[in-house]
Amino acid sequence: MRRPVKKFFYSAIRLVTIYLLVVKYAFVFAWWTLKRFLPGGKKDEFNQNALTRFAWCFRRMLEDLGATFIKMGQIMSTRPDIFPPFFIDELKHLQDNVPPFDPRLIPHEFEFAFGKQPREIFAEFNETPIASASVAQVHEARLKTGERVAVKIRRPGVQQKVEYDLAVMRIFAKSISFIPSVEVTSPVETVEEFGNAIKGQLDLRNEANNNRRFRKNFEGNQFVGFPRLYEDYCAENILVMEFVTGYHIDDVGQTDCDPQWLARHGLRAIFQMIYKDGFVHADLHPGNFLFNNGNHVTYLDVGMVGELSDRDRENFIESFMAMADNNGPKVAECLMNFAPSHRIRDYDEYVKDVSTHVNEFFGKPLNEIEISIAVAKMVNILRKHRVRVNAAYTVVNVGLLVAEGVGRKLYPQINLNEELYPFLNELFQEMMKRRLAQMKVQAEQAAKQRAAGSAASA
């Protein structure tokens, strides 16, 4: 009985805390707004409009609520299909800033995972982490065979804490879902979706599986790498992998890398993830790239991924080819067919809006296009016409946004369309051959059925 009682009181306290923080930041938001119009007030004091101030209040509330809520906010920042740009921009500022856990707990984690103490596995183990986040922290160590390794350890008790917090989030989401303007955003379903994303990162074996799959997908590509795993030391709560050193994108000049070459092949690697493999690194921020001599890039932290079905990939390929041909009506049709649901009131107006948007960005080089703006405008058009955005669309969006950022940083003159079109054209031709082959098989089967029917009737 003690655990249910403890869970009840913890959940009750957390729920009350949320409500109090909502009241607190609602007051802060109202005070800021009022202050701009009081005598002597500075209207540009915060240099923010009302929406930006609201997003700031929401971010601060998540920070005050702690690690689970911060992690959810970070995941929310990758979903432009659900949240507007001003919200996304603010949530990107969320940082874990979680203090490391007590190093005296580390031996117990190793005992749970491997039945061994750290000293039985490592010749050296630094108890001071080199990185500490809400789900896990990373330590530097050296195996007895001499290899330098990175040891990722899940925070003790984090699973229970996440379960408690998600239960509280569900209760809170249900309590506000009766508000009409909130209900349309499906708060309960949204909490469940983000909760599943968080829980997927709690079992480090999922990250190990992602790592293996990426390594297989890029097997033979000497310019793209992922940290090598030490298979004997991969468990639910601990992951031991190769310690990777290198330079971040701002320091590429310290290597012998060719920025133009890196930009082009970096884009192709992301294109391969999205359009060929359908398995995408979903946390592709600049901190998760490391560059080394020889035009080599290593991708880190593959705990969060997105998967695209064959149908998803084919739809995106077809959509992009239509965009490349400046065929707005075809793009509108693809997006509508790809949507889980839609309630378009005026289809002609919908096609007109999509066509105008496609034409606005048609044929421009990357250094003249803000992909983040282009994506945001397209999502707004879909929202306006009540076309529900497919979750897979987000995976592609995030990948292309990263491609934009990396491309601009390394070689601003690169043209995204010129790089992507040949890549997708080849995949498009393969797709059409498969469809023709399927149609041929279906036609032959239909002919056999007709022949069998004729023979039976005779």
Side-chain angles (χ1 to χ4, degrees), residues 144-334:
K144 292 191 174 183
T145 50
E147 294 101 323
R148 188 183 180 193
V149 294
V151 184
K152 191 170 188 175
I153 307 175
R154 188 178 65 195
R155 301 183 76 87
V158 69
Q159 288 175 299
Q160 186 181 45
K161 187 175 189 308
V162 167
E163 286 293 343
Y164 285 165
D165 282 342
L166 288 177
V168 173
M169 289 180 195
R170 293 186 192 103
I171 296 172
F172 179 75
K174 289 178 181 178
S175 72
I176 64 173
S177 60
F178 71 91
I179 304 172
S181 60
V182 174
E183 191 272 336
V184 296
T185 64
S186 304
V188 178
E189 292 81 359
T190 301
V191 167
E192 289 296 335
E193 182 179 347
F194 292 144
N196 291 334
I198 293 173
K199 287 189 285 187
Q201 296 181 59
L202 294 179
D203 189 338
L204 298 186
R205 290 173 297 189
N206 292 331
E207 181 173 345
N209 289 333
N210 296 341
N211 182 295
R212 297 184 190 103
R213 187 166 170 182
F214 277 122
R215 289 173 66 84
K216 182 177 179 181
N217 289 345
F218 286 90
E219 191 175 25
N221 188 328
Q222 60 180 319
F223 303 107
V224 175
F226 299 84
R228 180 167 61 94
L229 298 172
Y230 289 82
E231 298 291 351
D232 291 340
Y233 302 114
C234 293
E236 176 187 347
N237 61 326
I238 294 178
L239 208 59
V240 178
M241 66 195 94
E242 169 190 10
F243 193 99
V244 179
T245 59
Y247 296 88
H248 290 292
I249 192 168
D250 290 332
D251 302 315
V252 167
Q254 299 181 39
T255 70
D256 64 5
C257 297
D258 178 354
Q260 181 178 352
W261 194 98
L262 280 178
R264 297 187 66 189
H265 287 79
L267 290 178
R268 291 175 189 175
I270 294 174
F271 298 160
Q272 177 180 330
M273 290 182 191
I274 297 172
Y275 298 106
K276 185 176 181 181
D277 301 331
F279 191 67
V280 188
H281 192 319
D283 195 16
L284 279 173
H285 60 76
N288 280 339
F289 295 97
L290 284 180
F291 298 92
N292 276 296
N293 290 335
N295 292 319
H296 189 271
V297 58
T298 303
Y299 292 83
L300 307 174
D301 197 6
V302 295
M304 189 162 60
V305 298
E307 292 195 61
L308 303 174
S309 67
D310 289 343
R311 178 176 175 273
D312 293 336
R313 292 187 295 107
E314 289 187 1
N315 192 284
F316 281 119
I317 292 170
E318 199 168 355
S319 299
F320 184 87
M321 297 304 290
M323 289 182 188
D325 291 334
N326 197 20
N327 188 344
K330 181 64 177 178
V331 174
E333 178 187 349
C334 288

Side-chain angles (χ1 to χ4, degrees), residues 337-369:
N337 292 338
F338 190 43
S341 64
H342 61 82
R343 291 180 292 174
I344 300 174
R345 294 176 177 175
D346 187 336
Y347 186 77
D348 291 339
E349 185 67 21
Y350 163 66
V351 171
K352 178 182 176 183
D353 287 346
V354 173
S355 300
T356 300
H357 177 66
V358 170
N359 185 65
E360 181 182 352
F361 293 96
F362 175 71
K364 290 184 179 179
L366 180 60
N367 60 340
E368 295 180 15
I369 298 177

Side-chain angles (χ1 to χ4, degrees), residues 400-418:
L400 292 178
L401 290 175
V402 172
E404 174 195 39
V406 173
R408 283 181 183 277
K409 197 81 174 179
L410 293 171
Y411 185 65
Q413 293 76 27
I414 195 167
N415 187 308
L416 185 63
N417 289 341
E418 288 180 359

